Amino acid sequence: MTATSSRIYKDIDLHFTAHPVTGDLVKKLGEDAIIQSVYNLLSFGKYEKLFQPTIYSSLKAHLFEPVDNITSSAIGNEIRNVISNYEPRVALTEVNVTPEYDMNGYTVSITFFIVNATDPITVEFFLERVR
Amino acid sequence: MANQLRVTELDFDTIKANLKTFMKSQTEFSDYNFEGSGLSVLLDVLAYNTHYMAYYMNMVANETFIDSAVLRQSVVSHAKLLGYTPRSRVASQATINLSFQEVIGGSNSAMTLPKFAKFTSAPKDGKSYTFVNTEQRVATKNANSYFVFDSVQIKEGNPVSYVFTYDAQTNSKQVFVLPDDGIDTSTLTVQVQKSATNQAISTYEKAEDSTAVTSTAAVYYLEENRLGKYQIYFGDGVIGAALDNNNLVIVSYVVTSGDAANGIRTFKLSDNIMPGATVALELVTESNAGNLAETAEQVKFTAPKSFIAQNRAVTKNDYVALINRNYPYFDSVAVWGGEENVPAIYGKIFFSLKPRGNYEITQSEIQYMKDYVLKPISVLTVTPEYVAADYNYLNFVVDVVYDPRKTTKTAGGIQTSVYNAVVQFASDYLNTFNNTFKMSKLVRAIDDADASIENNSIKVLIEKRFRPTLGISKSYRLDFYVPLKKGTSVDRLYSEPSFGYIDEFNIERVAFIEEVPQSFTGLDAVEVLATGDGYTEIPSITVEGDGEGAAASAIIVNGKLKSVVVTNPGANYSAAVLRVVGGSGTGAQLRAVLQGKKGTLRIYYFDSNNIKKIINANIGSIYYDDGYLILDNFKPTTVSDPFGTMIFKAQPNTNVFSTTRNAILTLDSTDPAAIDVRVGAVTS
């Protein structure tokens, strides 16, 4: 007999929005919780995570470099490293970082499987500096 | 219970782990274990906050006790409760002699050396320092038309003066902050002027003992404030006089660089005090004793000890601590009670001081120490007495054998290394009271001076210096404090340099003193076994034995032979029999005492044929076991030394010796004869 464990991941929403009916804090469940976690990991700067200086991705630093293939490849590596090291719930399959010279940023698409789930999840966002 | 939150942790990691353990017991949120999750961020904030508060509380608790306080302001505040003001920086101090020769035709009969006259030092480490004298001096013109200022003490630093106006409205606590860093508070003077228009000035003293401060006493209090600056404040009209509104507070002090200016030997007067005069400046002691302010750690160490002493001198250590605190210019301080003296003197405490870089201290320093430092705080009925330090100067004759194959140094280089090792040994182990010389330590220090040294042998001589009174017959006692070796015909106690002595023909000879060879085999004393009776005249006493030269004379009281004085102990006796001859009496019986406890000293000179002639065969005795010598009726006419100092050199009979009370073992590194290093190379 094979047993499959499927946990339901439950996290708080870092936007702290209240539930429109109950007024409670809104929960992030399952897939949403994991995606929020991946976003968080990507946004930590060095020493931003208290007493755990090794958990960070230097995306912010890279955004101040010239937009080109080398930087985009470095950004891709950062993303792979931080997710594979600190997010045990996902199996990363693909990270695409495309430089957008005209818009001074990068289109990032990350594809991963949630462990013990069958469907791949793709997250896409546009990375640019805001100052 | 497993899910109970533990509150004893202080570290961030364990606090966070506790929070996670707590989170396990609920089902609402499950993602607390992933570092990227929102919950993890929340736990981080909570754990950080807890950790921060725990750390803060810990620090607050630490600063509450003097043992664990870290911040200087906390330590100083605790010290204040113990009545202790941390010692400020201390200016380096030198002593000089100054003389001024007026321009020809000058008519001044006296001159004044003002307070804070400036002197410039020779550069030390590329920086030259300003020194100032701290008190005004007046000198009258001497017979040679010089104005001479002897033993002027100059301190390193720049004099600074401030005038504060007291305003009762804005400064009700009467606190005035001295704005400079690096103040030597021992140079602080505080004066109060009535007002800008009324120029009556009174000088205020630092308050030391609040029980002695009356409501009108002109005193100020000194303390270090939270910013590390010194501040003064005044009494409240109950304990110490209070200030009146619009009083002017005039403070002056010296801002110093502390220990950086120690060890300077060359100074120049830079103020033009007497225009046109020729200034001569002579060094007495190089600048020394400069020190930085006490650190927080030092305050933590000293403040409780000062509190235990309660600013009272009761025990031996109280005296030592108080002298050092009030006058930090000494290498070593010795204090002992009169009951330790031989013979005991009760009701007195004796102290002896070894100044830094020097051998003697001035009479005014002694008086200051007695009147202002010790007497006010010593126990009633106990009088402090100063005893000059008695120096045992050690001389070393070092024979070193080295292997030239094991070093690139020349014999001269080895000699220098060994010389330096001995000087270092002296500065490490000697120069303090109550210390012990250990030969093995010196042997090791010399062996370690260079890897090529194969062997060393050391001969130690103890040198006593004394100044005999010329032309007056006097007895002297010189203590070596160490059992002395009995001399041989080639190696014995001797004196240096030569002195003039009148011989029996009334001719002045260039004479020396030495130990009579084998004199310890002479007659020490005579014991009277039976006094006999009927002696109307003084009988003669004959000494028969295997030695020669011994003579003794009898003292008769009421016809009885009371005692016998040994007039010449002679030498080479292993047995002696004494006979009483003549004197018309009978029955006296005597016994010779041959203990070998003392030897004889004689005075001799070399005649024109270079033959040794004895002037006085018995000028005194050496007491080997007790380690002293006595000169009887010694009357030299001159001593061929510029200061009239005579030296006796003797060998100790032991490899470990110590000193007590005012005796001190030292090495005079300015004396070229003090260290004699002879170097030989291994031959095979």
Side-chain angles (χ1 to χ4, degrees):
Chain A
M1 194 175 81
T2 51
T4 50
S5 107
S6 90
R7 285 175 63 172
I8 296 178
Y9 299 112
K10 284 184 274 189
D11 195 1
I12 52 166
D13 183 359
L14 276 183
H15 293 108
F16 288 102
T17 40
H19 192 279
V21 179
T22 60
D24 280 351
L25 188 62
V26 171
K27 281 186 254 184
K28 290 249 183 192
L29 296 172
E31 197 181 301
D32 287 346
I34 291 170
I35 291 169
Q36 176 181 271
S37 170
V38 168
Y39 274 127
N40 278 347
L41 284 174
L42 294 183
S43 59
F44 285 139
K46 227 176 198 175
Y47 289 101
E48 225 167 74
K49 183 91 173 149
L50 294 167
F51 293 92
Q52 283 166 296
T54 52
I55 303 179
Y56 70 95
S57 66
S58 323
L59 295 191
K60 280 175 197 157
H62 286 299
L63 291 178
F64 283 79
E65 299 291 325
V67 177
D68 57 18
N69 284 326
I70 297 172
T71 315
S72 68
S73 146
I75 289 174
N77 284 337
E78 286 285 344
I79 293 172
R80 268 182 221 104
N81 279 341
V82 71
I83 293 177
S84 50
N85 283 335
Y86 297 108
E87 188 44 272
R89 291 173 290 183
V90 305
L92 203 58
T93 52
E94 202 179 356
V95 176
N96 278 323
V97 183
T98 319
E100 303 286 352
Y101 300 102
D102 299 337
M103 293 187 282
N104 230 357
Y106 305 87
T107 309
V108 180
S109 113
I110 306 169
T111 310
F112 54 82
F113 285 95
I114 293 172
V115 176
N116 281 347
T118 47
D119 299 330
I121 296 169
T122 301
V123 182
E124 265 189 40
F125 51 90
F126 184 73
L127 207 55
E128 65 174 337
R129 39 187 281 213
V130 290
R131 62 185 168 92
Chain B
M1 282 199 305
N3 60 355
Q4 218 164 28
L5 198 54
R6 292 176 57 187
V7 293
T8 52
E9 313 297 345
L10 296 177
D11 285 342
F12 178 86
D13 289 338
T14 39
I15 294 167
K16 194 173 170 192
N18 285 346
L19 288 173
K20 283 181 185 172
T21 315
F22 175 73
M23 294 293 283
K24 268 184 196 160
S25 61
Q26 52 82 45
T27 51
E28 197 66 23
F29 297 106
S30 60
D31 285 7
Y32 50 84
N33 237 342
F34 304 105
E35 294 305 336
S37 66
L39 265 179
S40 175
V41 173
L42 197 62
L43 292 189
D44 275 346
V45 172
L46 287 170
Y48 176 66
N49 191 36
T50 309
H51 169 73
Y52 190 99
M53 291 309 288
Y55 174 80
Y56 184 71
M57 290 310 292
N58 193 35
M59 287 306 290
V60 168
N62 275 349
E63 296 302 319
T64 315
F65 303 99
I66 190 168
D67 290 319
S68 49
V70 174
L71 296 176
R72 184 180 174 87
Q73 62 191 59
S74 321
V75 175
V76 169
S77 170
H78 288 302
K80 192 171 159 186
L81 284 181
L82 299 175
Y84 184 80
T85 307
R87 194 199 63 228
S88 72
R89 225 179 248 206
V90 181
S92 190
Q93 175 178 296
T95 312
I96 52 168
N97 294 337
L98 259 184
S99 78
F100 293 82
Q101 189 183 19
E102 214 179 357
V103 281
I104 296 164
S107 58
N108 292 320
S109 61
M111 78 168 281
T112 305
L113 179 67
K115 185 179 176 179
F116 293 148
K118 282 198 170 110
F119 298 81
T120 318
S121 81
K124 185 197 171 196
D125 300 333
K127 187 171 181 230
S128 76
Y129 295 88
T130 303
F131 281 71
V132 292
N133 64 323
T134 48
E135 56 182 18
Q136 178 179 309
R137 294 271 291 267
V138 178
T140 48
K141 194 190 270 183
N142 70 8
N144 302 327
S145 298
Y146 283 98
F147 299 97
V148 178
F149 298 92
D150 271 333
S151 300
V152 177
Q153 282 176 344
I154 53 174
K155 291 189 171 186
E156 184 272 322
N158 286 306
V160 181
S161 192
Y162 292 94
V163 178
F164 304 103
T165 308
Y166 171 58
D167 181 344
Q169 287 292 318
T170 55
N171 185 7
S172 58
K173 289 184 176 168
Q174 316 180 69
V175 176
F176 302 93
V177 179
L178 310 181
D180 295 288
D181 292 321
I183 298 172
D184 179 349
T185 55
S186 69
T187 62
L188 177 63
T189 59
V190 176
Q191 292 177 313
V192 175
Q193 186 176 322
K194 279 281 176 212
S195 69
T197 47
N198 182 347
Q199 298 195 338
I201 286 186
S202 47
T203 301
Y204 278 51
E205 297 289 332
K206 188 175 156 203
E208 295 286 358
D209 181 357
S210 56
T211 57
V213 175
T214 63
S215 61
T216 54
V219 292
Y220 68 90
Y221 296 86
L222 178 72
E223 67 177 21
E224 190 180 321
N225 71 10
R226 290 170 58 84
L227 301 171
K229 305 269 190 210
Y230 284 98
Q231 63 188 26
I232 56 170
Y233 59 97
F234 294 85
D236 53 2
V238 179
I239 303 175
L243 293 180
D244 294 328
N245 204 12
N246 294 325
N247 274 172
L248 298 184
V249 178
I250 305 162
V251 293
S252 75
Y253 48 80
V254 168
V255 177
T256 174
S257 341
D259 56 354
N262 284 347
I264 296 175
R265 304 185 62 87
T266 313
F267 303 94
K268 206 178 83 201
L269 180 66
S270 52
D271 278 359
N272 190 5
I273 294 169
M274 181 179 259
T278 313
V279 184
L281 193 151
E282 181 188 50
L283 183 78
V284 180
T285 41
E286 63 174 28
S287 63
N288 66 76
N291 212 336
L292 292 177
E294 264 182 315
T295 63
E297 281 304 312
Q298 286 168 328
V299 175
K300 280 160 78 171
F301 181 78
T302 8
K305 288 170 186 58
S306 151
F307 179 67
I308 290 166
Q310 288 279 313
N311 209 24
R312 293 279 180 276
V314 180
T315 67
K316 214 186 253 190
N317 290 339
D318 295 349
Y319 279 92
V320 175
L322 282 161
I323 292 173
N324 275 330
R325 200 174 108 198
N326 285 285
Y327 219 84
Y329 300 109
F330 299 111
D331 265 347
S332 184
V333 177
V335 176
W336 66 97
E339 77 281 359
E340 288 177 33
N341 260 1
V342 184
I345 301 167
Y346 296 101
K348 282 190 173 171
I349 182 124
F350 293 89
F351 65 101
S352 195
L353 308 166
K354 158 86 176 72
R356 202 164 288 175
N358 197 2
Y359 293 107
E360 278 156 41
I361 67 172
T362 62
Q363 205 57 41
S364 62
E365 282 174 309
I366 296 166
Q367 208 55 43
Y368 172 83
M369 195 74 66
K370 273 163 65 168
D371 293 350
Y372 295 102
V373 177
L374 299 178
K375 258 192 200 144
I377 48 170
S378 61
V379 175
L380 287 172
T381 75
V382 173
T383 322
E385 283 287 339
Y386 176 76
V387 182
D390 191 1
Y391 293 97
N392 271 0
Y393 298 91
L394 297 186
N395 287 196
F396 300 104
V397 181
V398 186
D399 279 297
V400 173
V401 178
Y402 82 111
D403 188 342
R405 290 165 296 192
K406 289 185 183 166
T407 180
T408 53
K409 284 184 186 166
T410 59
I414 296 289
Q415 196 174 24
T416 310
S417 304
V418 171
Y419 184 92
N420 291 339
V422 176
V423 171
Q424 185 60 42
F425 169 85
S427 84
D428 289 350
Y429 293 103
L430 303 178
N431 277 331
T432 57
F433 291 100
N434 292 318
N435 68 357
T436 304
F437 170 82
K438 293 171 187 145
M439 179 71 98
S440 67
K441 293 258 188 292
L442 179 59
V443 169
R444 193 170 71 191
I446 293 174
D447 271 349
D448 292 347
D450 195 277
S452 68
I453 292 175
E454 299 277 310
N455 185 35
N456 74 72
S457 73
I458 303 161
K459 181 172 148 188
V460 180
L461 290 170
I462 302 178
E463 174 186 322
K464 289 305 288 193
R465 299 178 184 176
F466 84 113
R467 286 179 196 168
T469 316
L470 301 179
I472 292 172
S473 176
K474 261 183 146 179
S475 293
Y476 300 92
R477 176 184 162 132
L478 298 181
D479 278 290
F480 291 83
Y481 305 100
V482 182
L484 298 175
K485 204 177 239 176
K486 292 169 179 170
T488 65
S489 56
V490 289
D491 196 4
R492 55 190 126 140
L493 186 142
Y494 62 97
S495 79
E496 274 180 355
S498 65
F499 55 89
Y501 208 81
I502 312 279
D503 71 0
E504 53 187 325
F505 308 110
N506 220 12
I507 300 169
E508 185 175 2
R509 304 287 186 184
V510 178
F512 299 89
I513 294 179
E514 67 171 7
E515 178 184 355
V516 179
Q518 299 300 309
S519 60
F520 51 86
T521 55
L523 188 63
D524 263 358
V526 174
E527 218 173 292
V528 179
L529 299 175
T531 56
D533 212 349
Y535 290 98
T536 52
E537 294 164 25
I538 294 174
S540 65
I541 293 171
T542 60
V543 186
E544 292 167 14
D546 50 358
E548 55 187 271
S553 63
I555 293 173
I556 302 291
V557 178
N558 289 337
K560 293 182 195 301
L561 197 155
K562 194 75 184 168
S563 61
V564 175
V565 177
V566 178
T567 51
N568 187 349
N572 293 325
Y573 286 94
S574 63
V577 175
L578 299 167
R579 289 186 208 288
V580 184
V581 181
S584 316
T586 51
Q589 284 182 18
L590 304 174
R591 186 161 73 190
V593 181
L594 303 171
Q595 288 171 326
K597 278 190 175 172
K598 64 179 187 184
T600 312
L601 294 170
R602 67 182 177 196
I603 303 181
Y604 68 95
Y605 72 98
F606 290 101
D607 72 3
S608 51
N609 298 322
N610 222 4
I611 292 169
K612 193 186 263 186
K613 299 271 178 164
I614 310 295
I615 301 176
N616 185 334
N618 187 1
I619 188 68
S621 306
I622 316 163
Y623 293 82
Y624 298 108
D625 295 350
D626 298 329
Y628 66 94
L629 67 82
I630 284 182
L631 294 176
D632 290 318
N633 304 322
F634 182 54
K635 187 185 173 186
T637 50
T638 56
V639 175
S640 63
D641 176 87
F643 300 103
T645 305
M646 276 186 71
I647 290 171
F648 277 93
K649 289 189 181 181
Q651 279 190 66
N653 196 22
T654 154
N655 283 332
V656 177
F657 46 90
S658 43
T659 55
T660 54
R661 300 198 287 274
N662 63 326
I664 188 163
L665 297 172
T666 187
L667 174 87
D668 184 357
S669 52
T670 59
D671 176 8
I675 306 173
D676 182 7
V677 182
R678 302 158 184 177
V679 178
V682 176
T683 47
S684 59

